[in-house]
Short mmCIF file of all heavy atoms in Angstrom, two decimals:
data_model
loop_
_atom_site.label_atom_id
_atom_site.label_comp_id
_atom_site.label_asym_id
_atom_site.label_seq_id
_atom_site.Cartn_x
_atom_site.Cartn_y
_atom_site.Cartn_z
N THR A 81 -9.46 9.68 9.71
CA THR A 81 -10.76 9.06 9.64
C THR A 81 -10.66 7.93 8.66
O THR A 81 -9.76 7.89 7.93
CB THR A 81 -11.81 10.03 9.00
OG1 THR A 81 -11.28 10.55 7.80
CG2 THR A 81 -12.03 11.18 9.94
N ARG A 99 -18.07 4.14 9.19
CA ARG A 99 -17.23 5.30 8.95
C ARG A 99 -16.74 5.87 10.25
O ARG A 99 -17.69 6.24 11.11
CB ARG A 99 -17.95 6.37 8.21
CG ARG A 99 -18.34 5.98 6.68
CD ARG A 99 -19.24 6.86 6.04
NE ARG A 99 -18.64 8.14 5.80
CZ ARG A 99 -19.00 9.31 6.35
NH1 ARG A 99 -20.00 9.37 7.22
NH2 ARG A 99 -18.39 10.50 5.99
N LEU A 101 -13.96 8.06 13.06
CA LEU A 101 -12.95 8.92 13.42
C LEU A 101 -12.15 8.29 14.50
O LEU A 101 -12.78 7.65 15.44
CB LEU A 101 -13.39 10.39 13.69
CG LEU A 101 -14.14 10.53 14.94
CD1 LEU A 101 -13.39 10.88 16.21
CD2 LEU A 101 -15.35 11.66 14.72
N THR A 163 -14.73 6.18 16.89
CA THR A 163 -16.21 6.69 17.05
C THR A 163 -16.79 6.85 15.71
O THR A 163 -16.23 7.37 14.74
CB THR A 163 -16.14 8.00 17.79
OG1 THR A 163 -15.49 7.80 19.04
CG2 THR A 163 -17.44 8.66 17.98
N ILE A 164 -18.04 6.39 15.61
CA ILE A 164 -18.76 6.54 14.27
C ILE A 164 -18.97 7.94 13.96
O ILE A 164 -19.35 8.68 14.88
CB ILE A 164 -20.16 5.82 14.41
CG1 ILE A 164 -20.05 4.32 14.84
CG2 ILE A 164 -20.98 5.95 13.03
CD1 ILE A 164 -20.04 3.29 13.92
N ILE A 165 -18.58 8.32 12.75
CA ILE A 165 -18.82 9.85 12.34
C ILE A 165 -20.36 10.11 12.25
O ILE A 165 -21.06 9.44 11.61
CB ILE A 165 -18.14 10.01 11.04
CG1 ILE A 165 -16.67 9.78 11.17
CG2 ILE A 165 -18.41 11.50 10.63
CD1 ILE A 165 -15.85 9.91 9.77
N PRO A 166 -20.76 11.09 13.11
CA PRO A 166 -22.24 11.24 13.12
C PRO A 166 -22.77 11.73 11.75
O PRO A 166 -22.06 12.28 10.88
CB PRO A 166 -22.53 12.46 14.04
CG PRO A 166 -21.16 12.62 14.73
CD PRO A 166 -20.13 11.93 13.94
N GLU A 167 -23.99 11.19 11.52
CA GLU A 167 -24.56 11.47 10.15
C GLU A 167 -24.75 13.11 9.99
O GLU A 167 -24.91 13.82 10.87
CB GLU A 167 -26.10 11.12 10.30
CG GLU A 167 -26.89 10.83 9.03
CD GLU A 167 -26.28 9.74 8.18
OE1 GLU A 167 -25.88 8.60 8.72
OE2 GLU A 167 -26.27 10.04 6.96
N GLY A 168 -24.29 13.52 8.85
CA GLY A 168 -24.29 15.02 8.65
C GLY A 168 -23.02 15.72 8.99
O GLY A 168 -22.92 16.94 8.61
N MET A 169 -22.07 15.08 9.63
CA MET A 169 -20.85 15.68 9.97
C MET A 169 -19.95 15.68 8.74
O MET A 169 -19.65 14.65 8.09
CB MET A 169 -20.22 15.14 11.23
CG MET A 169 -18.89 15.91 11.48
SD MET A 169 -18.14 15.22 13.00
CE MET A 169 -19.00 15.98 14.31
N ASP A 170 -19.38 16.82 8.40
CA ASP A 170 -18.39 16.90 7.33
C ASP A 170 -17.11 16.12 7.74
O ASP A 170 -16.62 16.21 8.93
CB ASP A 170 -17.99 18.42 7.06
CG ASP A 170 -17.10 18.60 5.92
OD1 ASP A 170 -16.12 17.92 5.71
OD2 ASP A 170 -17.53 19.39 5.01
N ILE A 171 -16.61 15.35 6.75
CA ILE A 171 -15.40 14.54 7.07
C ILE A 171 -14.23 15.42 7.57
O ILE A 171 -13.38 14.90 8.49
CB ILE A 171 -15.06 13.60 5.90
CG1 ILE A 171 -14.10 12.50 6.36
CG2 ILE A 171 -14.49 14.43 4.66
CD1 ILE A 171 -13.86 11.42 5.26
N GLU A 172 -14.13 16.56 7.10
CA GLU A 172 -12.97 17.41 7.55
C GLU A 172 -13.05 17.94 8.90
O GLU A 172 -12.13 18.18 9.65
CB GLU A 172 -12.87 18.59 6.46
CG GLU A 172 -12.36 18.25 5.10
CD GLU A 172 -12.09 19.38 4.19
OE1 GLU A 172 -12.26 20.54 4.58
OE2 GLU A 172 -11.55 19.03 3.07
N ASP A 173 -14.37 18.12 9.42
CA ASP A 173 -14.57 18.41 10.86
C ASP A 173 -14.26 17.21 11.71
O ASP A 173 -13.65 17.24 12.79
CB ASP A 173 -15.97 18.76 11.09
CG ASP A 173 -16.38 20.32 10.60
OD1 ASP A 173 -15.37 21.09 10.63
OD2 ASP A 173 -17.45 20.50 10.18
N ALA A 174 -14.64 15.88 11.11
CA ALA A 174 -14.53 14.77 11.98
C ALA A 174 -13.05 14.42 12.03
O ALA A 174 -12.60 14.08 13.20
CB ALA A 174 -15.15 13.52 11.07
N VAL A 175 -12.18 14.51 11.07
CA VAL A 175 -10.81 14.29 11.23
C VAL A 175 -10.04 15.18 12.30
O VAL A 175 -9.25 14.66 12.95
CB VAL A 175 -10.06 14.24 9.87
CG1 VAL A 175 -9.93 15.63 9.19
CG2 VAL A 175 -8.68 13.54 9.97
N LEU A 176 -10.61 16.42 12.31
CA LEU A 176 -9.93 17.28 13.33
C LEU A 176 -10.37 17.00 14.78
O LEU A 176 -9.77 17.47 15.69
CB LEU A 176 -10.29 18.75 12.96
CG LEU A 176 -9.32 19.24 11.86
CD1 LEU A 176 -9.99 20.43 11.09
CD2 LEU A 176 -7.95 19.76 12.51
N LEU A 177 -11.49 16.12 14.98
CA LEU A 177 -11.84 15.77 16.22
C LEU A 177 -10.92 14.66 16.78
O LEU A 177 -11.20 14.21 17.94
CB LEU A 177 -13.28 15.33 16.15
CG LEU A 177 -14.37 16.37 16.11
CD1 LEU A 177 -15.85 15.86 15.86
CD2 LEU A 177 -14.48 17.12 17.49
N LEU A 349 -14.90 13.68 23.49
CA LEU A 349 -15.53 13.54 22.10
C LEU A 349 -17.15 13.99 22.34
O LEU A 349 -17.62 14.67 21.43
CB LEU A 349 -15.32 12.27 21.45
CG LEU A 349 -14.20 12.23 20.57
CD1 LEU A 349 -14.04 10.76 19.97
CD2 LEU A 349 -14.26 13.21 19.43
N PRO A 350 -17.88 13.35 23.14
CA PRO A 350 -19.28 13.61 23.12
C PRO A 350 -19.63 15.06 23.14
O PRO A 350 -20.42 15.56 22.36
CB PRO A 350 -19.81 12.91 24.45
CG PRO A 350 -18.82 11.84 24.66
CD PRO A 350 -17.43 12.38 24.19
N LEU A 352 -17.73 17.61 22.26
CA LEU A 352 -17.11 18.35 21.21
C LEU A 352 -18.00 18.08 19.94
O LEU A 352 -18.04 18.88 19.04
CB LEU A 352 -15.63 18.02 21.11
CG LEU A 352 -14.78 18.66 22.12
CD1 LEU A 352 -13.25 18.17 22.16
CD2 LEU A 352 -14.86 20.21 22.33
N ILE A 353 -18.41 16.78 19.82
CA ILE A 353 -19.30 16.47 18.77
C ILE A 353 -20.56 17.42 18.80
O ILE A 353 -20.99 18.02 17.73
CB ILE A 353 -19.71 15.11 18.71
CG1 ILE A 353 -18.52 14.18 18.25
CG2 ILE A 353 -20.84 14.68 17.85
CD1 ILE A 353 -18.72 12.74 18.36
N ASP A 354 -21.05 17.68 19.96
CA ASP A 354 -22.26 18.58 20.15
C ASP A 354 -21.84 19.89 19.70
O ASP A 354 -22.61 20.62 18.93
CB ASP A 354 -22.56 18.72 21.57
CG ASP A 354 -23.57 17.57 22.01
OD1 ASP A 354 -23.97 16.76 21.10
OD2 ASP A 354 -23.95 17.54 23.17
N HIS A 355 -20.67 20.41 20.20
CA HIS A 355 -20.20 21.81 19.82
C HIS A 355 -20.16 21.94 18.30
O HIS A 355 -20.55 22.94 17.71
CB HIS A 355 -18.96 22.15 20.40
CG HIS A 355 -19.06 22.62 21.85
ND1 HIS A 355 -19.98 23.50 22.36
CD2 HIS A 355 -18.28 22.17 22.97
CE1 HIS A 355 -19.79 23.65 23.71
NE2 HIS A 355 -18.84 22.87 24.07
N VAL A 356 -19.62 20.93 17.54
CA VAL A 356 -19.40 20.96 16.12
C VAL A 356 -20.72 20.96 15.42
O VAL A 356 -21.11 21.83 14.54
CB VAL A 356 -18.50 19.89 15.63
CG1 VAL A 356 -18.48 19.83 14.19
CG2 VAL A 356 -17.10 20.05 16.15
N MET A 357 -21.61 20.01 15.85
CA MET A 357 -23.01 19.87 15.24
C MET A 357 -23.79 21.06 15.43
O MET A 357 -24.67 21.41 14.50
CB MET A 357 -23.71 18.60 15.70
CG MET A 357 -22.97 17.34 15.46
SD MET A 357 -22.62 17.04 13.72
CE MET A 357 -24.14 16.33 13.02
N ALA A 358 -23.62 21.80 16.62
CA ALA A 358 -24.37 23.07 16.83
C ALA A 358 -23.88 24.28 16.17
O ALA A 358 -24.31 25.38 16.33
CB ALA A 358 -24.61 23.19 18.36
N LEU A 361 -18.28 25.39 17.10
CA LEU A 361 -17.01 25.20 16.69
C LEU A 361 -16.98 24.85 15.20
O LEU A 361 -17.74 24.02 14.71
CB LEU A 361 -16.27 24.05 17.49
CG LEU A 361 -15.93 24.48 18.98
CD1 LEU A 361 -15.43 23.24 19.57
CD2 LEU A 361 -14.95 25.58 19.12
N PRO A 363 -14.12 23.38 13.06
CA PRO A 363 -12.79 22.86 12.93
C PRO A 363 -12.17 23.01 11.57
O PRO A 363 -11.16 23.40 11.41
CB PRO A 363 -12.91 21.39 13.39
CG PRO A 363 -14.17 21.24 14.13
CD PRO A 363 -15.08 22.39 13.64
N LYS A 364 -13.02 22.57 10.52
CA LYS A 364 -12.33 22.67 9.08
C LYS A 364 -11.84 23.97 8.70
O LYS A 364 -11.14 24.00 7.70
CB LYS A 364 -13.32 21.92 8.15
CG LYS A 364 -14.54 22.69 7.85
CD LYS A 364 -15.19 21.85 6.70
CE LYS A 364 -16.57 22.68 6.26
NZ LYS A 364 -17.62 22.56 7.13
#
Side-chain angles (χ1 to χ4, degrees):
T81 55
R99 295 168 69 245
L101 62 93
T163 301
I164 308 266
I165 300 174
E167 200 66 40
M169 180 180 280
D170 191 310
I171 193 170
E172 293 190 352
D173 285 328
V175 71
L176 280 154
L177 282 168
L349 271 180
L352 293 172
I353 287 174
D354 271 0
H355 281 314
V356 173
M357 295 309 272
L361 289 175
K364 67 172 182 287

